[in-house]
Amino acid sequence: MPKQEKAAQNTRFAYVLLRGAVVKNPVLVQLVGLCPVFAASATLKMAALLSATFFVSFLFTQCIACLFLKKMPRFLRVAVYMLLGIGAVVAVMLLLERFDHELLGAAGIYLPLLCVHSVVSLHCEKLAVKADIKFAMQDAFATGLGYCIAFLFTGLVREYLSMGTVWGRAAYIPVKLPAFGLAFASFLVLAFFAAGLQGFTRRVFPAHAKEAALKISDTVVHVSQPQIAPPSGPVGAFTPMPQALDPAHVRSVLQDIVQHTAQDGEAAESPYEKYTAGLDGAQPDPEAPVSVDLLEIRWRFQRIMEELDQHEQDKTEHE
Amino acid sequence: MELFIDFFVTALYSIFIQNFVLSGGLGMSEVLRAATKPRRFVMFIVMLSGFSVLTSVICRALDYIPAIDRLSPLLHFILFALVLIFLFLIVTSLLLITIRPTHKFISTLGMAALNTMVLAIPLINRQMGYSMMNSIGSGLGAGLAFALAAVLISKGLSKIADNEDIPAAFRGTPAMLLYVSLLSMMFLGLSGNGLFG
């Protein structure tokens, strides 16, 4: 293999590794596959068991998806990922039943739940079924590594702080914090890891910082009456039309709207004025809700058309 | 009346005391996704609740067969997982034949059906020795627990997203994780557990 090609491949793998394990870390950045990390990272041994099972299952599923599932319908593929996950999990459970029954019992329902891991379905669907096998395996390795590191460190910190042990062996600790053995502490630990990773990414890979930021869609829906200010100048005193707009075209559009909103009886005055006239000459309260109905819009459009006509007439006279 | 109380109490227990999401971490990734992208929120909750109730009912019904009831935990897990897969395939096939949904809809359906929460419910029901009504309550409670968690997180995120008082390193994901951690601690309090043993 030529030297340049080899160097390019190494660079590509380094990039995939950086992206999968650091910039797009599944736990600390993408926030996927959190269930086992949240609930079953109380000890390092448990974290090691679950992350190793996940790693093997992920590599295996991504490989199969890339090689054989590209032409399968999407909904069938998702079911196949779960079946492959069941196979991997059952193999590990059978091994544990034979060699470490206690650890199997401690894993509870969280070991079986690895068969529906969201990292697996996300990466297989987004990448494995669209890429070549080499790239798919590189991505699986990088993502799996990132996941396992975050999982293992969470387990290590929680076990050390809650029990004062590391892998079951006593370690020096001035004060034990038993609360870190509870599930909520895993997110506390992950939050500090995520902050560290965010700071590291910003400093070392500033180009990727935006990519790693949390993206939130609009989460608040404002349901309130729009506050519309009363017209300040004389009626019809609107800002001049931009030069790019063709007045004839604007007029035809407005004409259409006016025709479609025509009602019995002409609006002699603005509905806004009608509304304020009902207040016995008092100035309208700017905080009060003002309703702008179709009639008001139509009336305003008519004024705009008059303005346009006047503008064209002036223009002709000037010429 | 007793059946209704069984159902109601189990549902309430699943939502507030043993909140599957914030106490057990089940479906945590999906909750965070729903909270950060709430457009398909209601549809997702309906799908998830439907699948959790149906899986609970079918798995509990299967356990009434003595031969199945005697199976080991490992075989139970395989059976329940297969039930979930078949249920997903049947529902998806029926939808494809009848209403021809979009790819995005099918994708959302897959996420709502094949996740840790829906698979965990029948396993938990069996561990707890729930009856049929308890199982239905547990399934429905799981969906509502999911909705409650997603609403709480979503509401918190709207405050966190543009908060300039948060130190720069903690803005975004770390702040959200801290907030979820506090919510989880709150549900720990509701379950009667203490922080110091």
Side-chain angles (χ1 to χ4, degrees):
Chain A
M1 185 185 289
K3 216 173 184 180
Q4 277 184 333
E5 203 177 312
K6 201 173 178 182
Q9 272 194 0
N10 285 342
T11 315
R12 192 185 173 200
F13 179 62
Y15 178 74
V16 173
L17 196 64
L18 166 77
R19 200 178 152 79
V22 181
V23 178
K24 286 264 181 186
N25 185 291
V27 179
L28 302 172
V29 178
Q30 288 189 309
L31 301 172
V32 285
L34 289 175
C35 172
V37 185
F38 179 81
S41 61
T43 63
L44 182 58
K45 204 181 260 188
M46 186 61 63
L49 168 70
L50 295 182
S51 52
T53 308
F54 160 74
F55 192 74
V56 174
S57 159
F58 184 33
L59 281 176
F60 177 61
T61 311
Q62 185 120 322
C63 178
I64 298 285
C66 185
L67 290 176
F68 305 112
L69 305 181
K70 282 181 178 170
K71 288 180 180 171
M72 195 178 267
R74 190 175 176 157
F75 75 99
L76 283 178
R77 273 203 305 259
V78 181
V80 173
Y81 301 149
M82 190 172 162
L83 278 173
L84 293 171
I86 293 171
V89 166
V90 166
V92 174
M93 285 174 87
L94 286 172
L95 278 174
L96 284 175
E97 247 181 8
R98 199 158 196 189
F99 296 110
D100 198 341
H101 208 272
E102 199 179 319
L103 192 60
L104 178 64
I109 61 166
Y110 291 100
L111 182 58
L113 292 185
L114 286 179
C115 71
V116 279
H117 209 285
S118 45
V119 174
V120 177
S121 38
L122 183 78
H123 275 259
C124 287
E125 272 308 301
K126 283 204 165 175
L127 199 136
V129 293
K130 293 169 189 165
D132 59 289
I133 181 71
K134 196 172 181 184
F135 186 60
M137 293 317 288
Q138 284 178 347
D139 173 75
F141 179 78
T143 309
L145 190 69
Y147 185 87
C148 291
I149 289 172
F151 202 165
L152 289 172
F153 272 96
T154 311
L156 175 71
V157 171
R158 284 184 65 195
E159 183 183 344
Y160 177 69
L161 290 176
S162 63
M163 293 187 272
T165 58
V166 175
W167 198 267
R169 291 181 185 173
Y172 170 74
I173 184 166
V175 182
K176 285 182 194 171
L177 301 165
F180 271 79
L182 300 168
F184 80 90
S186 54
F187 268 19
L188 206 61
V189 174
L190 284 177
F192 280 87
F193 285 161
L197 185 70
Q198 193 163 277
F200 175 77
T201 310
R202 275 184 194 161
R203 211 166 267 190
V204 184
F205 309 108
H208 295 285
K210 202 174 177 184
E211 198 182 347
L214 178 69
K215 291 167 188 70
I216 304 171
S217 306
D218 270 346
T219 51
V220 184
V221 179
H222 294 287
V223 183
S224 59
Q225 195 81 18
Q227 296 292 316
I228 296 167
S232 51
V235 172
F238 296 99
T239 48
M241 292 297 297
Q243 293 300 311
L245 283 176
D246 176 18
H249 174 69
V250 174
R251 196 189 304 106
S252 72
V253 171
L254 295 179
Q255 190 70 49
D256 278 348
I257 295 169
V258 169
Q259 277 173 1
H260 281 94
T261 56
Q263 293 181 1
D264 292 338
E266 282 299 308
E269 57 183 335
S270 158
Y272 182 79
E273 285 168 358
K274 274 185 187 170
Y275 169 75
T276 51
L279 299 170
D280 295 331
Q283 285 299 310
D285 179 10
E287 297 298 320
V290 178
S291 71
V292 176
D293 58 14
L294 213 55
L295 200 63
E296 169 77 16
I297 294 166
R298 178 174 170 256
W299 183 84
R300 285 184 183 227
F301 281 163
Q302 280 177 333
R303 300 287 84 76
I304 296 172
M305 285 196 294
E306 286 170 17
E307 282 282 308
L308 283 170
D309 287 337
Q310 188 64 43
H311 177 75
E312 275 194 356
Q313 203 177 341
D314 290 348
K315 198 177 167 185
T316 316
E317 281 174 11
H318 181 73
E319 282 171 352
Chain B
M1 188 64 190
E2 201 176 308
L3 289 175
F4 178 74
I5 289 172
D6 268 359
F7 161 78
F8 192 67
V9 168
T10 316
L12 281 181
Y13 182 75
S14 307
I15 298 166
F16 294 109
I17 313 296
Q18 191 198 24
N19 186 293
F20 289 124
V21 183
L22 292 167
S23 298
L26 302 172
M28 185 56 90
S29 310
E30 286 76 20
V31 163
L32 293 180
R33 189 178 295 224
T36 49
K37 291 170 185 167
R39 271 180 216 163
R40 291 172 168 249
F41 179 79
V42 176
M43 190 172 77
F44 193 83
I45 303 270
V46 171
M47 288 175 179
L48 188 130
S49 305
F51 274 108
S52 61
V53 171
L54 279 174
T55 317
S56 292
V57 170
I58 295 170
C59 293
R60 186 68 197 92
L62 285 173
D63 266 343
Y64 282 125
I65 302 167
I68 291 177
D69 193 36
R70 283 195 295 271
L71 291 175
S72 68
L74 177 64
L75 291 175
H76 256 109
F77 151 63
I78 296 172
L79 178 71
F80 291 170
L82 290 177
V83 165
L84 180 57
I85 291 175
F86 279 114
L87 188 64
F88 168 67
L89 289 177
I90 289 168
V91 171
T92 313
S93 306
L94 283 175
L95 288 173
L96 283 171
I97 293 166
T98 52
I99 61 168
R100 293 183 178 277
T102 58
H103 284 293
K104 196 141 193 170
F105 184 90
I106 295 292
S107 170
T108 311
L109 192 74
M111 272 198 295
L114 307 179
N115 61 58
T116 47
M117 179 180 268
V118 180
L119 179 59
I121 301 299
L123 295 170
I124 293 172
N125 290 347
R126 183 171 164 78
Q127 271 184 0
M128 305 279 280
Y130 280 164
S131 67
M132 180 58 90
M133 284 314 274
N134 288 137
S135 300
I136 297 170
S138 165
L140 191 68
L144 295 175
F146 186 96
L148 178 68
V151 166
L152 286 172
I153 294 171
S154 177
K155 192 67 194 165
L157 278 183
S158 65
K159 307 268 181 202
I160 289 169
D162 305 317
N163 195 332
E164 296 290 321
D165 295 332
I166 299 172
F170 276 87
R171 272 182 214 151
T173 309
M176 185 174 78
L177 290 171
L178 280 177
Y179 174 66
V180 177
S181 172
L182 290 175
L183 284 178
S184 174
M185 203 194 292
M186 182 189 85
F187 278 93
L188 181 81
L190 285 177
S191 69
N193 289 321
L195 285 180
F196 305 101

